[in-house]
Short mmCIF file of all heavy atoms in Angstrom, two decimals:
data_model
loop_
_atom_site.label_atom_id
_atom_site.label_comp_id
_atom_site.label_asym_id
_atom_site.label_seq_id
_atom_site.Cartn_x
_atom_site.Cartn_y
_atom_site.Cartn_z
N PRO W 1 -3.24 -24.76 22.02
CA PRO W 1 -3.30 -23.53 21.22
C PRO W 1 -3.71 -23.79 19.76
O PRO W 1 -4.39 -22.97 19.17
CB PRO W 1 -1.88 -22.99 21.28
CG PRO W 1 -1.20 -23.68 22.40
CD PRO W 1 -1.96 -24.95 22.64
N GLU W 2 -3.30 -24.92 19.21
CA GLU W 2 -3.62 -25.21 17.81
C GLU W 2 -5.14 -25.34 17.60
O GLU W 2 -5.68 -24.83 16.62
CB GLU W 2 -2.90 -26.48 17.34
CG GLU W 2 -3.05 -26.76 15.86
CD GLU W 2 -2.41 -25.69 14.97
OE1 GLU W 2 -1.47 -25.02 15.41
OE2 GLU W 2 -2.87 -25.52 13.83
N LYS W 3 -5.82 -26.00 18.53
CA LYS W 3 -7.27 -26.16 18.40
C LYS W 3 -7.97 -24.80 18.47
O LYS W 3 -8.90 -24.53 17.71
CB LYS W 3 -7.81 -27.10 19.48
CG LYS W 3 -9.26 -27.42 19.30
CD LYS W 3 -9.74 -28.47 20.27
CE LYS W 3 -11.21 -28.76 20.00
NZ LYS W 3 -11.72 -29.84 20.81
N ALA W 4 -7.49 -23.95 19.36
CA ALA W 4 -8.05 -22.60 19.46
C ALA W 4 -7.81 -21.82 18.18
O ALA W 4 -8.68 -21.08 17.71
CB ALA W 4 -7.46 -21.87 20.66
N ASN W 5 -6.61 -21.99 17.61
CA ASN W 5 -6.30 -21.31 16.34
C ASN W 5 -7.25 -21.77 15.24
O ASN W 5 -7.74 -20.96 14.45
CB ASN W 5 -4.86 -21.57 15.91
CG ASN W 5 -3.86 -20.75 16.69
OD1 ASN W 5 -4.22 -19.76 17.31
ND2 ASN W 5 -2.61 -21.16 16.65
N LEU W 6 -7.49 -23.07 15.16
CA LEU W 6 -8.37 -23.61 14.12
C LEU W 6 -9.79 -23.06 14.27
O LEU W 6 -10.44 -22.73 13.28
CB LEU W 6 -8.36 -25.13 14.14
CG LEU W 6 -7.01 -25.78 13.77
CD1 LEU W 6 -7.09 -27.29 13.93
CD2 LEU W 6 -6.59 -25.40 12.37
N THR W 7 -10.27 -22.97 15.49
CA THR W 7 -11.59 -22.39 15.72
C THR W 7 -11.60 -20.92 15.33
O THR W 7 -12.54 -20.44 14.68
CB THR W 7 -11.98 -22.53 17.21
OG1 THR W 7 -11.98 -23.91 17.55
CG2 THR W 7 -13.35 -21.94 17.48
N GLY W 8 -10.54 -20.22 15.68
CA GLY W 8 -10.42 -18.81 15.32
C GLY W 8 -10.39 -18.62 13.82
O GLY W 8 -10.98 -17.67 13.29
N TYR W 9 -9.71 -19.51 13.10
CA TYR W 9 -9.64 -19.41 11.64
C TYR W 9 -11.03 -19.53 11.04
O TYR W 9 -11.40 -18.81 10.10
CB TYR W 9 -8.74 -20.49 11.05
CG TYR W 9 -7.28 -20.36 11.40
CD1 TYR W 9 -6.48 -21.48 11.49
CD2 TYR W 9 -6.69 -19.12 11.64
CE1 TYR W 9 -5.14 -21.38 11.81
CE2 TYR W 9 -5.36 -19.01 11.96
CZ TYR W 9 -4.58 -20.15 12.05
OH TYR W 9 -3.26 -20.04 12.36
N GLY W 10 -11.83 -20.48 11.55
CA GLY W 10 -13.19 -20.66 11.05
C GLY W 10 -14.03 -19.42 11.27
O GLY W 10 -14.76 -18.97 10.37
N ASN W 11 -13.93 -18.85 12.46
CA ASN W 11 -14.69 -17.63 12.76
C ASN W 11 -14.21 -16.46 11.91
O ASN W 11 -15.02 -15.67 11.43
CB ASN W 11 -14.58 -17.29 14.24
CG ASN W 11 -15.28 -18.30 15.13
OD1 ASN W 11 -16.19 -19.00 14.68
ND2 ASN W 11 -14.85 -18.40 16.37
N ALA W 12 -12.90 -16.36 11.74
CA ALA W 12 -12.35 -15.27 10.92
C ALA W 12 -12.81 -15.39 9.48
O ALA W 12 -13.15 -14.39 8.83
CB ALA W 12 -10.82 -15.28 11.00
N TYR W 13 -12.86 -16.63 8.95
CA TYR W 13 -13.30 -16.82 7.57
C TYR W 13 -14.76 -16.40 7.42
O TYR W 13 -15.12 -15.70 6.47
CB TYR W 13 -13.15 -18.28 7.13
CG TYR W 13 -13.75 -18.51 5.77
CD1 TYR W 13 -13.05 -18.13 4.63
CD2 TYR W 13 -15.03 -19.02 5.62
CE1 TYR W 13 -13.61 -18.30 3.37
CE2 TYR W 13 -15.60 -19.18 4.37
CZ TYR W 13 -14.89 -18.81 3.25
OH TYR W 13 -15.45 -18.96 2.01
N LYS W 14 -15.60 -16.81 8.37
CA LYS W 14 -17.02 -16.47 8.29
C LYS W 14 -17.22 -14.95 8.33
O LYS W 14 -18.02 -14.40 7.58
CB LYS W 14 -17.79 -17.14 9.42
CG LYS W 14 -17.90 -18.64 9.25
CD LYS W 14 -18.56 -19.27 10.46
CE LYS W 14 -18.52 -20.79 10.35
NZ LYS W 14 -19.03 -21.45 11.56
N THR W 15 -16.46 -14.28 9.20
CA THR W 15 -16.56 -12.82 9.29
C THR W 15 -16.08 -12.16 8.01
O THR W 15 -16.73 -11.25 7.48
CB THR W 15 -15.74 -12.31 10.49
OG1 THR W 15 -16.24 -12.92 11.68
CG2 THR W 15 -15.80 -10.81 10.61
N ALA W 16 -14.94 -12.61 7.48
CA ALA W 16 -14.39 -12.03 6.25
C ALA W 16 -15.33 -12.28 5.07
O ALA W 16 -15.54 -11.40 4.23
CB ALA W 16 -13.01 -12.61 5.97
N ARG W 17 -15.90 -13.47 5.01
CA ARG W 17 -16.81 -13.79 3.91
C ARG W 17 -18.07 -12.92 3.98
O ARG W 17 -18.58 -12.44 2.95
CB ARG W 17 -17.17 -15.28 3.95
CG ARG W 17 -18.13 -15.73 2.86
CD ARG W 17 -17.54 -15.51 1.46
NE ARG W 17 -18.53 -15.68 0.45
CZ ARG W 17 -18.50 -16.62 -0.50
NH1 ARG W 17 -17.49 -17.46 -0.54
NH2 ARG W 17 -19.43 -16.71 -1.39
N ALA W 18 -18.58 -12.70 5.19
CA ALA W 18 -19.76 -11.85 5.34
C ALA W 18 -19.46 -10.43 4.88
O ALA W 18 -20.28 -9.79 4.21
CB ALA W 18 -20.22 -11.86 6.80
N LYS W 19 -18.27 -9.92 5.22
CA LYS W 19 -17.88 -8.57 4.77
C LYS W 19 -17.75 -8.54 3.25
O LYS W 19 -18.22 -7.60 2.60
CB LYS W 19 -16.55 -8.15 5.40
CG LYS W 19 -16.66 -7.76 6.84
CD LYS W 19 -15.30 -7.31 7.36
CE LYS W 19 -15.35 -6.95 8.82
NZ LYS W 19 -14.03 -6.50 9.30
N ALA W 20 -17.12 -9.56 2.68
CA ALA W 20 -16.94 -9.61 1.23
C ALA W 20 -18.29 -9.68 0.53
O ALA W 20 -18.50 -9.01 -0.49
CB ALA W 20 -16.08 -10.82 0.85
N ASP W 21 -19.22 -10.47 1.06
CA ASP W 21 -20.56 -10.55 0.47
C ASP W 21 -21.27 -9.20 0.54
O ASP W 21 -21.95 -8.80 -0.41
CB ASP W 21 -21.38 -11.63 1.17
CG ASP W 21 -20.96 -13.05 0.81
OD1 ASP W 21 -20.40 -13.24 -0.30
OD2 ASP W 21 -21.17 -13.95 1.63
N ALA W 22 -21.11 -8.50 1.65
CA ALA W 22 -21.74 -7.18 1.80
C ALA W 22 -21.16 -6.19 0.80
O ALA W 22 -21.90 -5.43 0.18
CB ALA W 22 -21.55 -6.67 3.23
N TYR W 23 -19.83 -6.18 0.64
CA TYR W 23 -19.21 -5.29 -0.36
C TYR W 23 -19.69 -5.64 -1.76
O TYR W 23 -20.01 -4.76 -2.56
CB TYR W 23 -17.69 -5.39 -0.31
CG TYR W 23 -17.03 -4.60 0.80
CD1 TYR W 23 -16.23 -5.23 1.73
CD2 TYR W 23 -17.21 -3.23 0.90
CE1 TYR W 23 -15.62 -4.52 2.75
CE2 TYR W 23 -16.61 -2.50 1.91
CZ TYR W 23 -15.80 -3.15 2.83
OH TYR W 23 -15.21 -2.44 3.83
N ALA W 24 -19.73 -6.93 -2.07
CA ALA W 24 -20.17 -7.35 -3.40
C ALA W 24 -21.61 -6.94 -3.66
O ALA W 24 -21.94 -6.43 -4.73
CB ALA W 24 -20.00 -8.86 -3.54
N ALA W 25 -22.47 -7.15 -2.67
CA ALA W 25 -23.88 -6.78 -2.83
C ALA W 25 -24.04 -5.28 -3.04
O ALA W 25 -24.84 -4.85 -3.87
CB ALA W 25 -24.68 -7.23 -1.60
N ALA W 26 -23.25 -4.48 -2.33
CA ALA W 26 -23.32 -3.03 -2.49
C ALA W 26 -22.90 -2.61 -3.89
O ALA W 26 -23.37 -1.60 -4.41
CB ALA W 26 -22.43 -2.35 -1.45
N ALA W 27 -22.03 -3.40 -4.52
CA ALA W 27 -21.57 -3.10 -5.87
C ALA W 27 -22.42 -3.80 -6.93
O ALA W 27 -22.11 -3.72 -8.12
CB ALA W 27 -20.11 -3.51 -6.02
N GLY W 28 -23.46 -4.53 -6.50
CA GLY W 28 -24.30 -5.23 -7.46
C GLY W 28 -23.66 -6.49 -8.00
O GLY W 28 -23.98 -6.94 -9.09
N LEU W 29 -22.76 -7.07 -7.21
CA LEU W 29 -22.03 -8.27 -7.64
C LEU W 29 -22.35 -9.44 -6.72
O LEU W 29 -22.99 -9.28 -5.68
CB LEU W 29 -20.53 -8.00 -7.64
CG LEU W 29 -20.07 -6.83 -8.52
CD1 LEU W 29 -18.60 -6.53 -8.26
CD2 LEU W 29 -20.30 -7.15 -9.98
N HIS W 30 -21.86 -10.61 -7.09
CA HIS W 30 -22.04 -11.82 -6.28
C HIS W 30 -20.73 -12.60 -6.26
O HIS W 30 -20.13 -12.81 -7.32
CB HIS W 30 -23.15 -12.69 -6.88
CG HIS W 30 -23.34 -14.00 -6.19
ND1 HIS W 30 -23.94 -14.10 -4.95
CD2 HIS W 30 -22.99 -15.25 -6.56
CE1 HIS W 30 -23.94 -15.38 -4.60
NE2 HIS W 30 -23.38 -16.08 -5.55
N ILE W 31 -20.30 -13.00 -5.09
CA ILE W 31 -19.06 -13.79 -4.98
C ILE W 31 -19.38 -15.24 -5.29
O ILE W 31 -20.28 -15.83 -4.69
CB ILE W 31 -18.46 -13.64 -3.57
CG1 ILE W 31 -18.03 -12.20 -3.34
CG2 ILE W 31 -17.28 -14.60 -3.39
CD1 ILE W 31 -17.50 -11.91 -1.97
N VAL W 32 -18.63 -15.81 -6.24
CA VAL W 32 -18.86 -17.18 -6.65
C VAL W 32 -17.95 -18.12 -5.86
O VAL W 32 -18.40 -19.16 -5.37
CB VAL W 32 -18.62 -17.35 -8.17
CG1 VAL W 32 -18.77 -18.79 -8.59
CG2 VAL W 32 -19.57 -16.45 -8.93
N ARG W 33 -16.67 -17.76 -5.73
CA ARG W 33 -15.75 -18.62 -5.00
C ARG W 33 -14.60 -17.79 -4.45
O ARG W 33 -14.31 -16.71 -4.95
CB ARG W 33 -15.21 -19.74 -5.87
CG ARG W 33 -14.36 -19.26 -7.02
CD ARG W 33 -13.95 -20.42 -7.91
NE ARG W 33 -13.27 -19.89 -9.08
CZ ARG W 33 -12.17 -20.39 -9.57
NH1 ARG W 33 -11.61 -21.44 -9.02
NH2 ARG W 33 -11.61 -19.87 -10.64
N VAL W 34 -13.95 -18.33 -3.44
CA VAL W 34 -12.79 -17.68 -2.83
C VAL W 34 -11.56 -18.19 -3.57
O VAL W 34 -11.36 -19.39 -3.70
CB VAL W 34 -12.70 -18.03 -1.32
CG1 VAL W 34 -11.44 -17.44 -0.72
CG2 VAL W 34 -13.93 -17.53 -0.60
N LEU W 35 -10.74 -17.27 -4.05
CA LEU W 35 -9.55 -17.66 -4.79
C LEU W 35 -8.33 -17.82 -3.90
O LEU W 35 -7.45 -18.62 -4.21
CB LEU W 35 -9.25 -16.63 -5.88
CG LEU W 35 -10.32 -16.48 -6.96
CD1 LEU W 35 -9.93 -15.40 -7.94
CD2 LEU W 35 -10.54 -17.80 -7.67
N SER W 36 -8.25 -17.05 -2.83
CA SER W 36 -7.10 -17.20 -1.94
C SER W 36 -7.45 -16.67 -0.56
O SER W 36 -8.34 -15.85 -0.40
CB SER W 36 -5.88 -16.46 -2.49
OG SER W 36 -6.07 -15.07 -2.42
N ILE W 37 -6.73 -17.19 0.41
CA ILE W 37 -6.85 -16.73 1.79
C ILE W 37 -5.44 -16.51 2.28
O ILE W 37 -4.57 -17.36 2.12
CB ILE W 37 -7.55 -17.77 2.68
CG1 ILE W 37 -8.97 -18.01 2.19
CG2 ILE W 37 -7.53 -17.33 4.14
CD1 ILE W 37 -9.70 -19.12 2.90
N ARG W 38 -5.22 -15.34 2.88
CA ARG W 38 -3.90 -15.03 3.41
C ARG W 38 -4.04 -14.80 4.91
O ARG W 38 -4.83 -13.96 5.34
CB ARG W 38 -3.31 -13.81 2.73
CG ARG W 38 -1.91 -13.49 3.21
CD ARG W 38 -1.28 -12.41 2.41
NE ARG W 38 -2.15 -11.24 2.38
CZ ARG W 38 -1.84 -10.13 1.73
NH1 ARG W 38 -0.73 -10.05 1.06
NH2 ARG W 38 -2.66 -9.10 1.75
N ASP W 39 -3.29 -15.54 5.67
CA ASP W 39 -3.33 -15.43 7.12
C ASP W 39 -2.51 -14.22 7.54
O ASP W 39 -1.34 -14.10 7.19
CB ASP W 39 -2.77 -16.69 7.75
CG ASP W 39 -2.85 -16.69 9.26
OD1 ASP W 39 -3.41 -15.75 9.84
OD2 ASP W 39 -2.34 -17.65 9.87
N GLY W 40 -3.11 -13.32 8.29
CA GLY W 40 -2.42 -12.13 8.75
C GLY W 40 -1.51 -12.39 9.93
O GLY W 40 -0.83 -11.50 10.40
N GLY W 41 -1.47 -13.62 10.43
CA GLY W 41 -0.61 -13.94 11.56
C GLY W 41 -1.24 -13.55 12.87
O GLY W 41 -2.42 -13.21 12.97
N THR W 42 -0.43 -13.57 13.91
CA THR W 42 -0.93 -13.29 15.25
C THR W 42 -0.87 -11.81 15.57
O THR W 42 -1.34 -11.39 16.61
CB THR W 42 -0.12 -14.07 16.28
OG1 THR W 42 1.26 -13.70 16.16
CG2 THR W 42 -0.28 -15.56 16.09
N GLY W 43 -0.25 -11.02 14.74
CA GLY W 43 -0.17 -9.58 14.96
C GLY W 43 1.03 -9.23 15.82
O GLY W 43 1.62 -10.07 16.48
N GLY W 44 1.39 -7.98 15.78
CA GLY W 44 2.50 -7.52 16.59
C GLY W 44 3.87 -7.86 16.03
O GLY W 44 4.88 -7.54 16.63
N GLU W 45 3.90 -8.53 14.91
CA GLU W 45 5.18 -8.92 14.32
C GLU W 45 5.47 -8.02 13.12
O GLU W 45 4.57 -7.70 12.36
CB GLU W 45 5.13 -10.37 13.85
CG GLU W 45 4.84 -11.36 14.95
CD GLU W 45 4.62 -12.76 14.40
OE1 GLU W 45 4.91 -13.00 13.23
OE2 GLU W 45 4.15 -13.61 15.17
N LEU W 46 6.71 -7.65 12.97
CA LEU W 46 7.10 -6.89 11.79
C LEU W 46 7.54 -7.86 10.70
O LEU W 46 8.23 -8.83 10.99
CB LEU W 46 8.26 -5.93 12.14
CG LEU W 46 7.91 -4.83 13.12
CD1 LEU W 46 9.17 -4.04 13.47
CD2 LEU W 46 6.86 -3.91 12.54
N PRO W 47 7.15 -7.63 9.46
CA PRO W 47 7.57 -8.53 8.38
C PRO W 47 9.07 -8.43 8.17
O PRO W 47 9.67 -7.38 8.34
CB PRO W 47 6.79 -8.03 7.17
CG PRO W 47 6.46 -6.61 7.50
CD PRO W 47 6.34 -6.53 8.99
N GLN W 48 9.65 -9.55 7.81
CA GLN W 48 11.06 -9.57 7.49
C GLN W 48 11.27 -8.99 6.09
O GLN W 48 10.38 -9.04 5.26
CB GLN W 48 11.60 -11.01 7.54
CG GLN W 48 11.47 -11.63 8.92
CD GLN W 48 12.27 -10.88 9.96
OE1 GLN W 48 13.40 -10.48 9.72
NE2 GLN W 48 11.69 -10.67 11.12
N ALA W 49 12.44 -8.47 5.84
CA ALA W 49 12.72 -7.82 4.55
C ALA W 49 12.46 -8.76 3.38
O ALA W 49 11.96 -8.34 2.35
CB ALA W 49 14.15 -7.30 4.52
N GLY W 50 12.76 -10.02 3.52
CA GLY W 50 12.55 -10.97 2.43
C GLY W 50 11.09 -11.27 2.17
O GLY W 50 10.73 -11.74 1.12
N ASP W 51 10.22 -10.99 3.15
CA ASP W 51 8.80 -11.27 3.01
C ASP W 51 8.04 -10.16 2.31
O ASP W 51 6.91 -10.33 1.90
CB ASP W 51 8.16 -11.50 4.38
CG ASP W 51 8.69 -12.76 5.06
OD1 ASP W 51 9.24 -13.62 4.36
OD2 ASP W 51 8.55 -12.86 6.30
N MET W 52 8.63 -9.00 2.19
CA MET W 52 7.94 -7.86 1.61
C MET W 52 7.97 -7.92 0.09
O MET W 52 9.00 -8.21 -0.49
CB MET W 52 8.58 -6.56 2.07
CG MET W 52 8.41 -6.28 3.53
SD MET W 52 9.03 -4.65 3.87
CE MET W 52 9.65 -4.88 5.51
N THR W 53 6.84 -7.65 -0.52
CA THR W 53 6.81 -7.65 -1.98
C THR W 53 7.01 -6.25 -2.53
O THR W 53 7.47 -6.08 -3.64
CB THR W 53 5.47 -8.21 -2.50
OG1 THR W 53 4.41 -7.46 -1.94
CG2 THR W 53 5.33 -9.68 -2.11
N ALA W 54 6.65 -5.24 -1.76
CA ALA W 54 6.84 -3.87 -2.21
C ALA W 54 7.30 -3.04 -1.02
O ALA W 54 6.65 -3.03 0.01
CB ALA W 54 5.55 -3.29 -2.77
N MET W 55 8.43 -2.40 -1.17
CA MET W 55 8.96 -1.59 -0.09
C MET W 55 8.71 -0.13 -0.41
O MET W 55 8.90 0.30 -1.54
CB MET W 55 10.46 -1.83 0.08
CG MET W 55 10.79 -3.27 0.33
SD MET W 55 11.80 -3.65 1.73
CE MET W 55 12.29 -2.19 2.48
N PRO W 56 8.24 0.64 0.55
CA PRO W 56 8.06 2.07 0.29
C PRO W 56 9.40 2.74 0.03
O PRO W 56 10.41 2.39 0.64
CB PRO W 56 7.42 2.60 1.57
CG PRO W 56 7.70 1.58 2.61
CD PRO W 56 7.91 0.28 1.91
N VAL W 57 9.40 3.64 -0.90
CA VAL W 57 10.63 4.33 -1.27
C VAL W 57 10.41 5.83 -1.08
O VAL W 57 9.40 6.37 -1.50
CB VAL W 57 10.99 4.05 -2.75
CG1 VAL W 57 12.22 4.81 -3.16
CG2 VAL W 57 11.18 2.56 -2.95
N ALA W 58 11.36 6.45 -0.43
CA ALA W 58 11.26 7.90 -0.21
C ALA W 58 11.46 8.62 -1.53
O ALA W 58 12.23 8.18 -2.38
CB ALA W 58 12.30 8.35 0.80
N PRO W 59 10.77 9.73 -1.73
CA PRO W 59 10.98 10.50 -2.96
C PRO W 59 12.38 11.08 -2.97
O PRO W 59 13.00 11.25 -1.93
CB PRO W 59 9.92 11.60 -2.88
CG PRO W 59 9.61 11.72 -1.44
CD PRO W 59 9.81 10.36 -0.84
N PRO W 60 12.89 11.41 -4.15
CA PRO W 60 14.23 11.98 -4.21
C PRO W 60 14.26 13.33 -3.49
O PRO W 60 13.24 14.03 -3.44
CB PRO W 60 14.49 12.15 -5.70
CG PRO W 60 13.16 12.08 -6.35
CD PRO W 60 12.27 11.29 -5.45
N PRO W 61 15.40 13.68 -2.93
CA PRO W 61 15.46 14.95 -2.21
C PRO W 61 15.30 16.13 -3.16
O PRO W 61 15.67 16.07 -4.32
CB PRO W 61 16.87 14.94 -1.59
CG PRO W 61 17.65 14.00 -2.43
CD PRO W 61 16.67 12.98 -2.94
N VAL W 62 14.72 17.19 -2.63
CA VAL W 62 14.54 18.41 -3.41
C VAL W 62 15.79 19.25 -3.23
O VAL W 62 16.21 19.52 -2.11
CB VAL W 62 13.30 19.19 -2.93
CG1 VAL W 62 13.18 20.50 -3.68
CG2 VAL W 62 12.06 18.35 -3.10
N VAL W 63 16.40 19.63 -4.33
CA VAL W 63 17.63 20.42 -4.28
C VAL W 63 17.31 21.80 -4.83
O VAL W 63 16.81 21.94 -5.94
CB VAL W 63 18.75 19.76 -5.12
CG1 VAL W 63 20.00 20.60 -5.09
CG2 VAL W 63 19.02 18.36 -4.61
N ALA W 64 17.56 22.83 -4.03
CA ALA W 64 17.31 24.20 -4.48
C ALA W 64 18.44 24.62 -5.41
O ALA W 64 19.62 24.51 -5.08
CB ALA W 64 17.24 25.15 -3.28
N MET W 65 18.07 25.10 -6.56
CA MET W 65 19.06 25.55 -7.54
C MET W 65 19.02 27.07 -7.57
O MET W 65 17.95 27.67 -7.66
CB MET W 65 18.73 25.01 -8.93
CG MET W 65 18.68 23.50 -9.02
SD MET W 65 20.28 22.74 -9.00
CE MET W 65 20.92 23.24 -10.56
N GLN W 66 20.17 27.69 -7.48
CA GLN W 66 20.22 29.13 -7.59
C GLN W 66 20.38 29.47 -9.06
O GLN W 66 21.25 28.95 -9.74
CB GLN W 66 21.39 29.69 -6.79
CG GLN W 66 21.22 29.55 -5.30
CD GLN W 66 22.37 30.20 -4.54
OE1 GLN W 66 23.36 30.57 -5.11
NE2 GLN W 66 22.19 30.30 -3.24
N SER W 67 19.49 30.33 -9.52
CA SER W 67 19.59 30.69 -10.93
C SER W 67 20.69 31.74 -11.09
O SER W 67 20.89 32.60 -10.23
CB SER W 67 18.26 31.24 -11.45
OG SER W 67 17.90 32.39 -10.71
N ALA W 68 21.39 31.63 -12.17
CA ALA W 68 22.47 32.58 -12.45
C ALA W 68 21.87 33.92 -12.85
O ALA W 68 20.77 33.99 -13.41
CB ALA W 68 23.35 32.04 -13.57
N ALA W 69 22.56 34.98 -12.55
CA ALA W 69 22.11 36.31 -12.94
C ALA W 69 22.12 36.41 -14.47
O ALA W 69 22.94 35.80 -15.14
CB ALA W 69 23.03 37.38 -12.36
N PRO W 70 21.19 37.17 -15.03
CA PRO W 70 21.16 37.30 -16.48
C PRO W 70 22.43 37.99 -16.97
O PRO W 70 23.00 38.82 -16.27
CB PRO W 70 19.92 38.15 -16.76
CG PRO W 70 19.64 38.86 -15.48
CD PRO W 70 20.14 37.96 -14.39
N PRO W 71 22.89 37.61 -18.15
CA PRO W 71 24.12 38.22 -18.65
C PRO W 71 23.93 39.71 -18.96
O PRO W 71 22.86 40.13 -19.40
CB PRO W 71 24.41 37.43 -19.93
CG PRO W 71 23.08 36.89 -20.36
CD PRO W 71 22.31 36.66 -19.08
N VAL W 72 24.93 40.48 -18.68
CA VAL W 72 24.92 41.91 -18.99
C VAL W 72 26.07 42.15 -19.96
O VAL W 72 27.20 41.76 -19.70
CB VAL W 72 25.10 42.77 -17.72
CG1 VAL W 72 25.16 44.24 -18.09
CG2 VAL W 72 23.98 42.49 -16.74
N MET W 73 25.76 42.79 -21.07
CA MET W 73 26.78 43.02 -22.08
C MET W 73 27.72 44.14 -21.61
O MET W 73 27.30 45.11 -20.99
CB MET W 73 26.14 43.39 -23.42
CG MET W 73 25.27 42.26 -23.97
SD MET W 73 24.47 42.68 -25.51
CE MET W 73 25.87 42.73 -26.58
N ALA W 74 28.96 43.98 -21.89
CA ALA W 74 29.96 44.99 -21.51
C ALA W 74 29.63 46.32 -22.15
O ALA W 74 29.22 46.40 -23.31
CB ALA W 74 31.34 44.52 -21.94
N GLY W 75 29.76 47.40 -21.38
CA GLY W 75 29.53 48.73 -21.90
C GLY W 75 28.12 49.22 -21.70
O GLY W 75 27.79 50.32 -22.11
N THR W 76 27.24 48.42 -21.10
CA THR W 76 25.88 48.90 -20.87
C THR W 76 25.66 49.06 -19.37
O THR W 76 26.33 48.45 -18.55
CB THR W 76 24.84 47.88 -21.41
OG1 THR W 76 25.00 46.64 -20.72
CG2 THR W 76 24.99 47.66 -22.90
N ASN W 77 24.72 49.94 -19.01
CA ASN W 77 24.43 50.15 -17.60
C ASN W 77 22.95 50.03 -17.26
O ASN W 77 22.53 50.38 -16.20
CB ASN W 77 24.99 51.49 -17.11
CG ASN W 77 24.38 52.67 -17.87
OD1 ASN W 77 23.47 52.48 -18.67
ND2 ASN W 77 24.89 53.86 -17.60
N ASN W 78 22.15 49.57 -18.20
CA ASN W 78 20.74 49.33 -17.90
C ASN W 78 20.28 48.07 -18.61
O ASN W 78 20.95 47.53 -19.46
CB ASN W 78 19.89 50.55 -18.28
CG ASN W 78 19.96 50.89 -19.75
OD1 ASN W 78 20.16 50.01 -20.57
ND2 ASN W 78 19.81 52.16 -20.07
N GLY W 79 19.09 47.66 -18.27
CA GLY W 79 18.57 46.43 -18.82
C GLY W 79 17.72 46.62 -20.06
O GLY W 79 17.08 45.72 -20.52
N VAL W 80 17.69 47.84 -20.62
CA VAL W 80 16.86 48.13 -21.80
C VAL W 80 17.59 47.63 -23.03
O VAL W 80 18.75 47.89 -23.22
CB VAL W 80 16.58 49.64 -21.91
CG1 VAL W 80 15.73 49.92 -23.14
CG2 VAL W 80 15.88 50.13 -20.66
N VAL W 81 16.87 46.91 -23.84
CA VAL W 81 17.47 46.36 -25.07
C VAL W 81 17.03 47.18 -26.24
O VAL W 81 15.96 47.61 -26.40
CB VAL W 81 17.09 44.89 -25.29
CG1 VAL W 81 17.67 44.37 -26.57
CG2 VAL W 81 17.54 44.07 -24.11
#
């Protein structure tokens, strides 16, 4: 399996580099060197909590506030001021 993985890595790099070169060319740029490569793994695995750098956070709940009725001065029976 290790030899197959190594062959797969080479093919994956060539494919990724070709895509990166195409994106760069479309933007009028040129790739000089690769700074990092991150292996996506074999797939089907969920990342462990310690491996995550950013966790999605749900927005705060929306709470409906009932507005208080406007004050009415004692002795009046209409809203005309």
Side-chain angles (χ1 to χ4, degrees):
E2 186 64 27
K3 186 173 181 175
N5 283 343
L6 294 176
T7 301
Y9 294 150
N11 293 336
Y13 174 79
K14 289 175 187 175
T15 301
R17 179 61 191 243
K19 285 182 182 180
D21 287 334
Y23 280 122
L29 302 171
H30 175 75
I31 295 177
V32 176
R33 65 184 173 135
V34 176
L35 297 178
S36 70
I37 298 174
R38 182 172 54 180
D39 183 4
T42 58
E45 300 173 12
L46 294 175
Q48 298 298 318
D51 294 341
M52 292 187 213
T53 56
M55 303 232 356
V57 177
V62 176
V63 179
M65 301 285 291
Q66 291 184 349
S67 60
V72 177
M73 297 179 69
T76 61
N77 60 6
N78 60 30
V80 179
V81 177

